[in-house]
Structures are given as structure tokens and as C-alpha cells.
């Protein structure tokens, strides 16, 4: 938890999920850190803070920028493939990963990064205007700004635009249930498969993340995919990957896509080399051998290991190279045209072409896009 900074004027909107403690502090119950706050103090995430007798969210309506991305960049390979998604984030994070690949946003301690102001309606309108099928809460974890994310998702839903969450899944049960009612697809980072990894490198715990995965797959209609960033010498042993894959197969089933992505040295982990492609390929073999049907490599170019194949007959269904769709053979109903087996996912006809490249979007309107 962070103490208040000198001259720190707290502004924001009332936050939910907290309670007063007998010792006078207020406990935030949004994530399993349960920060206990004195007057004027910020939580570990930096964006939730105590002001008077309540917890406020200090980043409501403020963003670190907007981009139009391909949905495959989230990564989501089985959710409206080839469509464009309006991506944004705020600042701060409730994890402290030493290997963070978005640290300039997640570790932001000043809001000078939050240059774009946008109401939920303005974001929904911008998504519709630019041909995006969905809006994604990404770059930093939406857990910490979930009230804003919910309002954006609700405004999007009114325009038939989907909402996507990219998160580490470190969230308490009540806010989690509230949040995911509005979320159509999620990619959850499963950062490793040992408590030691989470504790040592993220100051967090594995168990709540596994609870979130189980909850999403069995108690919501949210489409779920999982990403594991493989870091040389930290979480890439064949034993750990086998244990992770066996757990996913047993608890979530064969149809949840799993992405193994390549690490590059960043933030406080500059002493590790980039992940060799061979490690990603070996992990993919292990996960497939465990029974998982859709296992992908990421952050490398390798069409063979990034494409989707039919689990029934092995036919190529969707060709992919990095974030680009290179082939499309899926029938309109999401089945294999050769054997008729259903491919897990959310499909809506042939792929869109609007999201192949990242495009920054200037969005500085605060009131309904006008
Ligand atoms: S959401 Fe932020 S303030 Fe609340 S418990 Fe988590 S880190 Fe602490």
C-alpha cells in the first residue's frame, strides 16, 4: 500500500466493495490484497484511494490512450476473428510483476499519462464509428477500474458492441461477479503454475487466479482464453507446463484456448534472455498431449503453430500469422466443413479485415462524442 503523497489532492468517483474496520481504517475488497487505508492513502494499485469515509476510483473517465487493434492481439483467436477492437487502459495495476511488458502504464504514478478523457458513451460511439466490433480493457488490469469498465461495457452493449477484458484475474468474488456480467470475452493471464512464482515475481497468489478461471468457464457466458508468458528459467519447465495443462484440461476442459507467448526483457527483469521459439513449441506439444485442443504460440512468426485446426479431422480451419488471418475455412455455423465437428468460440461469418494493423485513435471527447 502507498501512503498519500504530499499535496496529493484526491479526486474521483465513489468506488464499490469496501468496508470500515474497527480500527478506523477502510478495507478495499476489490482484489485479494485487501488494502487497509487511512485517510488520504492510496492502495497498492495507486488508483483506488480513501477520501473521507469512502474509497474512490481516481481514474474514472481517464485513459492512457486508445488504439484500434486486431482482436488477435489481445490475444483472442476464437472470438470474432479478424475483427477490430477499440483498446484502452488507464494507469496503475494490482500486481507488481517484475517482468511487466506494459510497465510504463501499469507502474504510472502520475496521471500525466492519462491524456485522453472519455465518457462511456463517447467510447461506445467511437467504437461504432470506427467499425470496431468490441471494446477491450487492456494495457493495464481492468480489475482496478472495474466501475468505469462496467459503464463503458453497458454503453457498448446498448449499441451491440461487445466488451473484452484482458486481466490477470486477481479479483475478489463479489466484484468479479458484478464485472463479468458485462464482459463478452476475456483473456486471463495465467502467469505461472506455482505459488512460488506468483509470490516471488508478482507479490500475489496463484489460487485466486485459478478461482477466477473456474468461475469464468463454469458460471458465466464469457468466452475465455488464457495466456501464459513463458520466461526462461522461471516458469518454462516441462514439469510446470505439464501440470498447468493437466489442470486446465481437468478443470476447464479441452476447448479453452491457451496461448504460450514469448517474453522479452523488460522492467525489472533485464537479466533473462528472450524466450527461444523452441521453448514455445515444446510447451505447445506438452499442452496438446494433455488433451487441449487449441494451443497457440505468440510473439513469434510461425503460421503452423498459430493456426486453428479441427479437433475432429485435423483440417485447417483458420490460418494465422502473428495477428493476421491468412486462411478461412470455417463454415458459417462455426463447424469444420470437412467433418462437421464444432470449433469452440464465438463466430459470426467470415473474418473482418479492419484490424490487421494497430491504429492510434485520438479520442478527447467527454460528452457523447460531440
Ligand atoms: S483494488 Fe487496489 S486498493 Fe483495492 S485491494 Fe486491490 S490493490 Fe488494494
Amino acid at each position: 500500500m502507498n501512503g498519500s503523497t504530499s499535496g496529493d489532492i484526491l479526486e474521483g468517483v465513489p468506488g464499490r466493495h469496501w468496508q470500515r474496520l474497527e480500527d478506523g481504517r477502510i478495507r478495499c475488497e476489490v482484489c485479494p490484497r485487501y488494502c487497509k487505508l487511512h485517510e488520504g492513502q492510496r492502495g497498492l494499485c495507486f488508483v483506488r484511494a480513501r477520501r473521507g469515509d469512502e474509497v474512490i476510483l481516481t481514474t474514472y473517465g481517464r485513459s492512457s490512450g486508445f488504439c484500434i487493434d486486431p482482436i488477435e492481439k489481445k490475444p483472442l483467436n476464437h472470438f470474432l476473428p479478424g475483427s477490430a477492437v477499440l483498446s484502452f487502459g488507464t494507469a496503475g495495476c494490482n500486481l507488481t510483476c517484475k517482468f511487466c511488458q506494459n510497465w510504463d502504464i501499469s507502474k504510472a504514478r502520475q496521471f500525466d499519462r492519462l491524456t485522453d478523457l472519455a465518457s462511456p458513451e463517447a467510447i461506445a460511439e467511437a467504437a461504432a464509428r470506427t467499425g470496431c466490433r468490441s471494446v477491450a480493457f487492456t494495457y493495464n488490469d481492468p480489475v482496478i477500474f472495474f466501475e468505469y469498465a462496467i459503464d463503458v461495457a453497458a454503453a457498448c452493449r446498448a449499441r451491440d458492441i461487445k466488451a473484452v477484458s484482458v486481466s490477470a484475474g486477481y479479483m475478489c468474488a463479489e466484484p468479479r461477479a458484478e464485472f463479468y456480467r458485462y464482459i463478452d470475452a476475456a483473456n486471463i493471464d495465467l502467469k505461472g503454475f506455482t505459488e512460488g512464482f506468483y509470490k516471488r515475481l508478482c507479490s500475489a497468489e496463484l489460487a485466486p487466479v485459478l478461482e477466477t478461471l473456474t468461475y469464468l468457464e463454469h458460471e458465466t457466458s464469457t468466452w475465455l482464453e488464457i495466456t501464459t508468458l513463458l520466461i526462461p528459467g522461471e516458469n518454462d519447465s516441462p514439469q510446470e507446463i505439464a501440470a498447468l495443462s493437466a489442470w486446465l484440461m481437468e478443470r476447464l476442459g479441452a476447448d479453452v484456448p491457451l496461448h504460450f507467448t514469448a517474453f522479452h526483457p523488460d522492467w525489472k527483469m533485464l537479466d533473462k534472455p528472450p524466450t527461444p521459439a523452441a521453448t514455445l513449441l515444446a510447451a505447445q506439444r506438452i499442452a496438446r498431449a494433455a488433451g487441449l485442443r487449441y494451443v497457440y504460440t505468440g510473439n513469434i512468426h510461425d503460421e503452423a503453430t498459430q493456426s486453428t485446426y479441427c479437433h475432429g479431422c485435423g483440417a485447417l480451419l483458420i490460418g494465422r500469422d502473428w495477428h493476421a488471418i491468412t486462411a478461412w475455412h470455417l463454415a458459417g455455423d462455426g463447424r469444420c466443413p470437412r467433418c462437421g465437428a464444432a470449433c469452440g468460440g464465438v463466430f459470426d461469418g467470415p473474418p473482418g479485415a479492419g484490424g490487421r494493423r494497430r491504429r492510434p485513435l485520438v479520442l478527447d471527447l467527454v460528452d457523447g462524442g460531440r
Side-chain angles (χ1 to χ4, degrees), residues 309-315 317 329 331 333 335-343:
Y309 302 91
C310 176
H311 64 86
C313 68
L317 298 179
H329 301 298
D333 59 357
R335 292 183 176 275
C336 171
R338 195 162 81 183
C339 75
C343 180

Side-chain angles (χ1 to χ4, degrees), residues 28-31 33-35 37 43-45 48 94 143-144:
C28 176
E29 299 180 345
V30 169
C31 91
R33 293 200 178 280
Y34 295 113
C35 296
L37 305 171
L44 177 134
C45 60
R48 305 182 80 84
N94 60 333
V143 165
I144 62 173

Side-chain angles (χ1 to χ4, degrees), residues 6 59 67-68 82 105 214 304 322:
S6 172
T59 52
C67 272
I68 299 173
I105 293 169
T214 307
W322 205 289

